[in-house]
Amino acid sequence: MMYPEGQDILVVDQDPARRALIERILREDGFEVTAVSEGLAALRAAGSGRFALIVAAIGLPGTLDGAATVRQVRARQPWVRALFIDHPAGLSRHDYPDCDDVIGAPFQRRELLGCVFELLHRDVLPDAADLGRRCRAEFYAR
């Protein structure tokens, strides 16, 4: 039995090494993960599976970037949370209104898992989201 039962995660990243890293980290923590390389594949996955969270790179190749992919997935699954992966210099949640949080790349295992668990439990602990974002913002400001 997996700990985060019913908390399937869709990973959308064009970088094969980073996609594999994210998938490995999440699977090691007990998540069921579907990993794809572009937006259209993400839409196909969302048509056949139910996801609690989408982890998407901002700059996806093709006609659907990260934000457009999230909007399209949410049209099918409006409850899905979104974590965007961006470069540290561009880190700002306000730049991406369709996301719930942003993590800079490269990231540490604990940062990724912290963001994932925070987003999946946001309804339970609403103040935790602001604290987590402030901590990451302070870290990247150094």
Side-chain angles (χ1 to χ4, degrees), residues 18-142:
R18 188 171 60 197
R19 185 175 63 246
L21 175 66
I22 294 168
E23 183 176 12
R24 182 179 53 78
I25 289 170
L26 295 174
R27 284 189 187 279
E28 285 174 355
D29 227 68
F31 289 98
E32 190 64 37
V33 179
T34 300
V36 298
S37 62
E38 48 90 27
L40 292 175
L43 295 181
R44 284 192 294 277
S48 62
R50 180 182 170 95
F51 297 98
L53 176 69
I54 181 170
V55 178
I58 294 291
L60 293 175
T63 56
L64 293 173
D65 65 6
T69 298
V70 167
R71 279 193 300 276
Q72 292 293 320
V73 170
R74 279 189 172 150
R76 298 170 182 200
Q77 301 185 24
W79 57 84
V80 75
R81 303 285 183 162
L83 173 62
F84 284 170
I85 302 168
D86 196 7
H87 300 288
L91 236 158
S92 174
R93 180 175 173 258
H94 302 293
D95 292 336
Y96 311 109
D98 294 306
C99 84
D100 294 301
D101 211 343
V102 180
I103 188 171
F107 48 81
Q108 300 293 320
R109 173 188 175 86
R110 63 179 164 71
E111 292 173 299
L112 175 64
L113 289 173
C115 286
V116 167
F117 279 98
E118 174 186 302
L119 287 173
L120 294 176
H121 294 95
R122 183 163 284 177
D123 292 337
V124 178
L125 301 169
D127 293 339
D130 291 332
L131 177 60
R133 266 196 300 281
R134 283 196 310 272
C135 289
R136 281 190 302 285
E138 289 170 10
F139 174 80
Y140 286 111
R142 290 186 225 155

